[in-house]
Amino acid sequence: MLGPYDAGKTSLMASFFLQIANGHYGALPYRFASSRTLYGFQDLVDRANRWSGKQGEQVVEHTPKEEPEDPGRFLHIGLRPSEPTDDRHLDILLTDVAGEWIEEWTRRADESARRRLAFVPRSDGFLVVVDASALLGPSGGKMDAAVGRLIRRIVASAGEREGRGLALVFSKFDRVIDQIAPPEETACQERSAWGRLGKVTGAIWGALERAREARFHTSPFAVSAFPRPLHQGQPAGVMAPFTWLMALADRRDRWPRPSFPIPHGASPFQAMRRSEAEP
Ligand SMILES: Nc1nc2c(ncn2[C@@H]2O[C@H](COP(=O)(O)OP(=O)(O)O)[C@@H](O)[C@H]2O)c(=O)[nH]1
Ligand SMILES: [Mg+2]
């Protein structure tokens, strides 16, 4: 999860976890199975729960700039495919690094910044978060340029690997919804379908083009993680970028399921296999 300071990265993570915890999977074909960082999520959710909805008040605490040697915060979610015959357990690690560090890493790759973002080449997918309302604001041009640079930096340091996903998340979409209607899924790849937001994001679209040349898959998403205080409204579009990324990250070839011959006069437990084997 990468993006500038205040883009809404931590909020998106908290919202994603809340959706999963509430069973609102949307099209995500997985179920919650475990977390090694439940306290981390609990902490995010507690803060989000106390949010009054006032603009300017923090939904979640700003991710602390850790000690120079600290690699940053990672949150873990274990998922199981909802397909009943697929009994794998998948470990998802979400990275939450302070936006200031990401900016520093984008500007110049000094050794310490590289160490803090050492996970980038090993990542299976990228969520680049950018505040849609900030893009339409007075310093939108600077924001566009910064996020364009960030995407190019990700592409340059991610190394050669076929077909990784890079999702561009236009966050806080509730703030711009009266100016821009998010495009249909079939049209979202067209810059022109994003109206004014498309017009002010030339550097970002250029960088996405560059990412595709480097064999990334890219897709933009409109997301509203915390449109209102938690008890007043549901988020919108939160699951879509995760669903899209997971489809790309989890598409390796499957081993065929072994089938065992069932002996005649088998025990009831062995016979159970037969009903599975003979649909
Ligand atoms: N209106 C609105 N505000 C949001 C939303 N998500 C985040 N924010 C605001 O943006 C602030 C910064 O978000 P945060 O997740 O801390 O950004 P980060 O620095 O990228 O981790 C939050 O405290 C909220 O005030 C959203 O979906 N809608
Ligand atoms: Mg944060």
Side-chain angles (χ1 to χ4, degrees), residues 1-2 8-20 24-30 41 75 77 79 92-95 124-129 165-169 219-223 225 236-250:
M1 184 93 64
L2 300 168
K9 301 180 293 297
T10 307
S11 303
L12 179 58
M13 237 179 250
S15 186
F16 174 62
F17 184 75
L18 272 174
Q19 292 291 90
I20 285 184
H24 297 172
Y25 292 99
L28 188 79
Y30 301 91
F41 280 115
L75 293 175
I77 295 186
L79 296 175
I92 316 294
L93 272 183
L94 300 164
T95 63
D124 293 314
F126 301 91
L127 280 152
V128 175
V129 185
L166 190 153
L168 178 73
V169 171
S219 184
F221 295 88
V223 169
V238 165
M239 299 312 271
F242 291 96
T243 304
W244 180 82
L245 270 183
M246 282 303 294
L248 291 168
D250 183 24

Side-chain angles (χ1 to χ4, degrees), residues 6-11 55 57-59 172 174-175 225-226:
D6 206 41
K9 301 180 293 297
T10 307
S11 303
Q55 291 302 346
E57 190 187 298
Q58 298 303 317
V59 176
K172 312 188 193 179
D174 54 290
R175 291 196 196 164
F226 285 96

Side-chain angles (χ1 to χ4, degrees), residues 14-50:
S15 186
F16 174 62
F17 184 75
L18 272 174
Q19 292 291 90
I20 285 184
N22 285 316
H24 297 172
Y25 292 99
L28 188 79
Y30 301 91
R31 295 284 174 269
F32 178 78
S34 67
S35 175
R36 288 174 181 270
T37 55
L38 264 185
Y39 285 109
F41 280 115
Q42 181 73 48
D43 188 44
L44 286 185
V45 170
D46 280 348
R47 284 180 218 279
N49 228 339
R50 289 197 297 266

Side-chain angles (χ1 to χ4, degrees), residues 4-11 44 60-64 73 96-99:
Y5 172 81
D6 206 41
K9 301 180 293 297
T10 307
S11 303
L44 286 185
V60 290
E61 197 90 321
H62 267 294
T63 310
R73 176 164 30 167
D96 193 11
V97 176

Side-chain angles (χ1 to χ4, degrees), residues 64-122:
K65 285 175 75 175
E66 299 87 335
E67 292 302 304
E69 296 309 313
D70 192 317
R73 176 164 30 167
F74 290 83
L75 293 175
H76 169 259
I77 295 186
L79 296 175
R80 284 193 188 280
S82 37
E83 176 68 47
T85 56
D86 191 344
D87 56 4
R88 292 172 304 145
H89 178 280
L90 289 87
D91 293 294
I92 316 294
L93 272 183
L94 300 164
T95 63
D96 193 11
V97 176
E100 297 94 324
W101 279 6
I102 297 170
E103 281 158 37
E104 202 170 297
W105 177 77
T106 309
R107 275 201 303 274
R108 60 197 157 84
D110 68 356
E111 190 47 43
S112 68
R114 235 202 322 268
R115 202 168 335 117
R116 288 176 199 136
L117 278 95
F119 56 84
V120 169
R122 294 194 287 270

